[in-house]
Amino acid sequence: MFDQREKIALFIDGANLYAAAKSLGFDIDYRRLLTEFQSKGYLLRAYYYTALAEDQEYSSIRPLIDWLDYNGYTVVTKPTKEFVDATGRRKIKGNMDIELAVNVMEMAETIDHIVLFSGDGDFRSLVEAVQRKGRKVTVISTLSTQPPMIADELRRQADHFVDLAHLRDKVGRDPSERSPRQADRPPAETFDDDFEEDEVL
């Protein structure tokens, strides 16, 4: 699946990866994740995408963002947007799909293998587009949950699919080993799509 001569880039949909790992009952150790893929080839970039609630005085995701920024990841963030839906309910949206897609297309000229950490079916056409450029695409999500976290069309389009459950021993962290700073990831990590106000802590 991987070739040591390949130039690799990781594209991590933060909210999606967090939800997949949480559903499997473990936390991602981002240092181990980086080390794992550095061993697969020449890791050129590791992008991490997440939305941030700008109006919070302190976002509990900030320590993670800062750590990633200083430890080999390129962090891409944008503020969440608040709006009122047709029923008058306040909702928050923070979708990073466009930012991720733009970076993938930019990097497709210089890398051999794209590793996408997301199960979002919206990325199927993106995967197809970079494959037309002769690039290999591995998608990492999980089928081991009910319902599965990966869209069937995305899994079929990818050159390779890796179930996150099979990477647990390589990139997971035992929850009992967490420090208080690394306690449950904040609600910003669930900003994958729309959700209700009462889901925000």
Side-chain angles (χ1 to χ4, degrees):
M1 186 189 306
F2 287 91
D3 184 324
Q4 288 293 330
R5 298 166 296 180
E6 287 179 332
K7 285 187 281 190
I8 304 168
L10 310 183
F11 297 88
I12 301 170
D13 177 343
N16 203 287
L17 177 59
Y18 170 69
K22 186 177 181 185
S23 69
L24 292 169
F26 73 95
D27 292 329
I28 299 293
D29 182 326
Y30 287 94
R31 189 187 304 278
R32 292 184 73 197
L33 187 149
L34 210 56
T35 302
E36 172 65 15
F37 285 92
Q38 284 167 337
S39 73
K40 304 280 189 196
Y42 178 66
L43 184 59
L44 195 60
R45 289 278 185 282
Y47 289 94
Y48 182 93
Y49 302 84
T50 192
L52 292 173
E54 295 280 302
D55 60 342
Q56 292 178 346
E57 282 185 29
Y58 170 76
S59 171
S60 50
I61 195 176
R62 185 61 68 182
L64 171 67
I65 296 302
D66 291 343
W67 186 91
L68 292 170
D69 237 346
Y70 283 107
N71 288 276
Y73 288 86
T74 301
V75 177
V76 182
T77 65
K78 74 175 178 186
T80 55
K81 288 194 172 119
E82 188 178 305
F83 64 99
V84 178
D85 71 7
T87 65
R89 299 182 76 169
R90 191 169 75 94
K91 287 193 169 186
I92 294 173
K93 186 173 180 67
N95 195 307
M96 301 293 293
D97 291 4
I98 297 298
E99 289 79 2
L100 189 153
V102 168
N103 287 152
V104 167
M105 292 307 290
E106 288 172 342
M107 291 293 290
E109 303 302 324
T110 54
I111 55 178
D112 306 306
H113 196 153
I114 288 158
V115 182
L116 174 63
F117 288 79
S118 182
D120 189 338
D122 290 345
F123 288 129
R124 189 207 64 78
S125 56
L126 171 66
V127 170
E128 186 180 28
V130 296
Q131 286 170 332
R132 284 198 298 267
K133 293 176 176 287
R135 304 302 177 243
K136 196 158 63 172
V137 181
T138 293
V139 170
I140 297 176
S141 185
T142 185
L143 285 167
S144 305
T145 54
Q146 284 301 327
M149 300 284 292
I150 183 161
D152 197 45
E153 63 271 23
L154 179 63
R155 184 166 62 94
R156 283 201 309 265
Q157 186 67 49
D159 295 295
H160 304 285
F161 167 69
V162 176
D163 199 305
L164 186 61
H166 300 150
L167 289 176
R168 181 178 190 146
D169 293 341
K170 294 178 179 175
V171 304
R173 182 178 64 234
D174 185 330
S176 65
E177 294 173 2
R178 302 189 284 206
S179 69
R181 280 173 63 107
Q182 296 167 323
D184 274 346
R185 209 64 46 72
E189 279 288 58
T190 60
F191 290 153
D192 201 16
D193 285 300
D194 305 343
F195 57 91
E196 306 299 336
E197 176 187 4
D198 57 9
E199 291 181 63
V200 184
L201 300 178

